[in-house]
Amino acid sequence: MENKTKEFKHLEKWQKTLANCIRCGYCYEHCPMFKYTGWESDAPRAKIITAFGLLSGEVEPSESVSQKMFSCFYCKRCEAACSSGVALTDIFTDAKKDLVEMDLKGPGTTSTTKLTCARCLICLKACPHEARSYDGKNIVVDPVKCQACGICIEVCPAGAATIQNSFGTDRNMLMDRASNFFSTHEAAKAIIFACNWSYYPDLQASVLPDAETRDKNYEILVNMCGGRLEPQLLMAPFLYNAWGVMAAVCPEDKCDHKGNVRAKKTIESLKNTFKSIDIDPERVRLVEIKAGDKAKFKAEIDTFMDNLNKMGPIR
Ligand code: SF4
Ligand code: SF4
Ligand code: SF4
């Protein structure tokens, strides 16, 4: 490997690890980026090959390389699937540090702030990664620290916090999908929100058209993190006469973004609202599913749907 490492002082330490990637490709089929775009250049394996190329000098640092390297949700599904134990996201982070020092800052999935920002600083407190700060005039986002969890987007009262490409996880897109499900499925009863971390394996099934049947009575909508389950999104299905809404998040100690804690509080608050207006609070339910536990996820859905069938529609 040609030594150009002086330009990549953070990435340099991964030189040997990068060579451990055997290009098996187990990682990319688990990556929500790849699922969404279908481009292998958006997949984790491509990022590792790019990092390798940056170190060897075969790949020139450029805006397009930076754009790809910064396009990651840090869901770590690639790491869970990797056959060689490569610490992919740590490598991406160090590549990002080097690129930032070359003034190449993505933005990829780094959150940004629009001019409509009211400087309320709510997003600063909400960011689980201390990626947002206030320089006295504007909100500044640290592109290395930002892990694209999207929590700032959901808490921003001015709609100013945003991510350049949400890769299908945008709140409005999910609300449109919920609306579309209820308008096209006569038997529609519920929406199941599933955090990409806690429940990945059926993401593909949830987006492929051939998985659709008109007599489906629930739809699984995959969001990037439980922390993005704000009341507006959770309540949207009830506008379309949903019987209930369930949300699957990671177990308490397993969420890097503490999104599950936020989701728990939001659901508790919705339950209290339901109680106060004489609606059974069990129509909103939160379940904890550890990464990839498909059997538990299915069992929880079955229990939830059984309960909804006993309750019937909201009158
Ligand atoms: S952490 Fe997630 S989004 Fe990022 S490359 Fe890995 S699988 Fe893809
Ligand atoms: S809340 Fe999430 S998306 Fe927003 S700046 Fe922090 S890490 Fe990035
Ligand atoms: S929450 Fe929104 S309006 Fe408030 S400081 Fe952050 S980006 Fe600006």
Side-chain angles (χ1 to χ4, degrees):
M1 186 184 280
E2 186 186 336
N3 187 2
K4 282 216 171 185
T5 50
K6 63 181 184 298
E7 294 173 28
F8 293 95
K9 60 178 189 282
H10 300 287
L11 198 51
E12 182 183 17
K13 65 173 173 287
W14 298 105
Q15 204 156 18
K16 281 193 184 142
T17 312
L18 282 167
N20 288 345
C21 170
I22 57 166
R23 316 288 190 250
C24 63
Y26 289 165
C27 57
Y28 75 76
E29 62 188 65
H30 292 270
C31 175
M33 296 287 170
F34 173 69
K35 292 282 186 197
Y36 189 79
T37 68
W39 288 96
E40 207 190 320
S41 57
D42 289 316
R45 182 172 66 175
K47 288 187 178 64
I48 289 295
I49 293 170
T50 302
F52 190 88
L54 286 170
L55 272 181
S56 69
E58 288 160 274
V59 173
E60 280 295 314
S62 65
E63 282 182 15
S64 60
V65 163
S66 178
Q67 181 67 15
K68 293 291 179 194
M69 199 58 81
F70 278 79
S71 291
C72 172
F73 284 110
Y74 281 77
C75 67
K76 303 190 184 180
R77 302 303 300 161
C78 50
E79 288 177 16
C82 178
S83 63
S84 302
V86 178
L88 288 98
T89 53
D90 288 342
I91 293 171
F92 304 158
T93 300
D94 277 329
K96 283 165 64 175
K97 283 181 191 165
D98 285 324
L99 289 165
V100 165
E101 284 169 17
M102 294 171 201
D103 213 23
L104 295 165
K105 299 178 185 167
T109 49
T110 307
S111 81
T112 55
T113 310
K114 294 194 273 192
L115 290 174
T116 48
C117 171
R119 278 86 173 158
C120 67
L121 311 189
I122 289 173
C123 58
L124 268 63
K125 292 182 199 116
C127 174
H129 302 291
E130 298 180 348
R132 293 189 152 240
S133 58
Y134 181 54
D135 68 3
K137 280 189 185 161
N138 296 306
I139 301 297
V140 180
V141 182
D142 182 327
V144 174
K145 287 185 178 172
C146 178
Q147 297 196 5
C149 67
I151 289 172
C152 55
I153 299 169
E154 304 306 332
V155 299
C156 176
T162 183
I163 285 182
Q164 189 190 49
N165 189 341
S166 72
F167 295 92
T169 61
D170 176 80
R171 185 201 301 168
N172 292 331
M173 280 171 144
L174 292 176
M175 281 161 67
D176 285 349
R177 286 189 60 201
S179 162
N180 183 50
F181 174 64
F182 280 90
S183 62
T184 54
H185 292 76
E186 282 161 21
K189 290 177 184 166
I191 292 291
I192 315 292
F193 289 104
C195 156
N196 180 59
W197 290 47
S198 68
Y199 176 66
Y200 182 76
D202 277 355
L203 169 63
Q204 193 171 23
S206 73
V207 295
L208 285 178
D210 60 10
E212 293 279 330
T213 57
R214 280 188 59 78
D215 58 356
K216 259 174 72 163
N217 54 19
Y218 63 84
E219 173 73 314
I220 299 167
L221 297 184
V222 180
N223 66 310
M224 198 45 65
C225 176
R228 298 189 66 171
L229 293 170
E230 288 296 301
Q232 193 187 356
L233 177 60
L234 290 165
M235 290 301 289
F238 292 104
L239 298 175
Y240 317 123
N241 299 322
W243 295 17
V245 165
M246 190 177 100
V249 298
C250 300
E252 182 121 2
D253 57 339
K254 294 286 181 203
C255 178
D256 283 8
H257 310 308
K258 300 187 181 71
N260 50 1
V261 178
R262 287 181 58 80
K264 207 177 235 177
K265 281 187 192 152
T266 308
I267 298 259
E268 276 313 309
S269 161
L270 281 185
K271 280 181 180 290
N272 288 334
T273 305
F274 273 35
K275 262 186 233 162
S276 70
I277 52 175
D278 276 340
I279 293 177
D280 194 323
E282 290 309 308
R283 289 185 187 275
V284 277
R285 181 166 157 73
L286 181 120
V287 293
E288 292 183 354
I289 312 278
K290 71 177 182 349
D293 192 344
K294 191 172 172 178
K296 180 167 184 212
F297 188 71
K298 179 74 173 70
E300 292 285 6
I301 293 177
D302 288 347
T303 305
F304 183 63
M305 295 310 296
D306 283 350
N307 284 345
L308 286 187
N309 283 329
K310 282 177 201 147
M311 286 182 230
I314 298 174
R315 299 194 192 280

